[in-house]
Amino acid sequence: MTHVEQESIPHTPSGIADPAPLGLAAFALTLFLLSVKNAGWTDGTDAWLAYALAYGGLVLILAGMWEFRGRNVFGATAFSSYGGFWLGLGLYAVLIAGETTPAQEANDLGWILLAFAIFNTYMMLWATQVNQAVLAVFVALEATEIILFIGNFATSETTIKIGGYLGVLTAICAWYASAAGVINGMTGHTFLGVGKPLRHRLVPGIEPR
């Protein structure tokens, strides 16, 4: 078996492009903008908010719908859910946050992030069935969400900054997976490695293809 055959390359129905690189790129950019804000690296305004509504929200949901068309239940669930996350977070910031106290807003964000950390936990486990690049995204995202919900519940700026650093790392992982998906899809072979799925560790006796 060749190296290319060993790695997990997405397959979509004839004539349909793989939407995963688009979804990963939309997620990465929006998370990056929010994370540099959390990390305290920017002196600007909430630039992430517009992209949460458009790129991270709308485009991710579209990518999720296209994954449904490709019969990829993992991609459809992940992209649609995180598209909803960004839209929901953006709408919360626009419609609700302005009417709350800082403590109430932090508490709200803590519960939102805790809820998505629960969702992300089983998606992280199932990402072992996809490839190692996607798994890295979900592992880094799990750490980001856990640190951020702890930071918000504790109203700790230092902890939220650490969550911002982890968010930047998560965005880099997602951008890499997106870049790999684009160039591998263009060339039809593995130009950037994404690693084999870890299927054999969850399902004894079945080796990854």
Side-chain angles (χ1 to χ4, degrees), residues 102-103 106-107 150-157 160:
N107 187 262
I150 291 173
N152 277 281
F153 281 141
T155 60
S156 168
E157 291 186 7
I160 291 173

Side-chain angles (χ1 to χ4, degrees), residues 24 27-29 31-32 35 140 166-176:
L24 287 163
F27 180 79
L29 186 141
L31 179 60
F32 178 80
S35 295
L166 289 170
V168 171
L169 175 62
T170 305
I172 291 170
C173 291
W175 265 321
Y176 176 84

Side-chain angles (χ1 to χ4, degrees), residues 97-120:
E99 305 298 323
T100 65
T101 66
Q104 287 174 328
E105 181 180 351
N107 187 262
D108 288 344
L109 292 176
W111 283 108
I112 292 168
L113 289 161
L114 173 58
F116 269 91
I118 293 170
F119 165 73
N120 196 78

Side-chain angles (χ1 to χ4, degrees), residues 65-144:
M65 296 303 103
W66 286 319
E67 289 283 24
F68 276 116
R69 176 65 180 85
R71 299 182 180 181
N72 181 350
V73 66
F74 179 89
T77 303
F79 290 144
S80 301
S81 295
Y82 277 106
F85 168 80
W86 287 118
L87 280 175
L89 191 62
L91 290 172
Y92 174 83
V94 171
L95 301 176
I96 300 173
E99 305 298 323
T100 65
T101 66
Q104 287 174 328
E105 181 180 351
N107 187 262
D108 288 344
L109 292 176
W111 283 108
I112 292 168
L113 289 161
L114 173 58
F116 269 91
I118 293 170
F119 165 73
N120 196 78
T121 298
Y122 66 79
M123 294 301 288
M124 177 181 66
L125 292 175
W126 309 154
T128 61
Q129 309 296 286
V130 183
N131 59 54
Q132 292 172 29
V134 170
L135 177 59
V137 175
F138 280 88
V139 170
L141 182 56
E142 182 80 358
T144 301

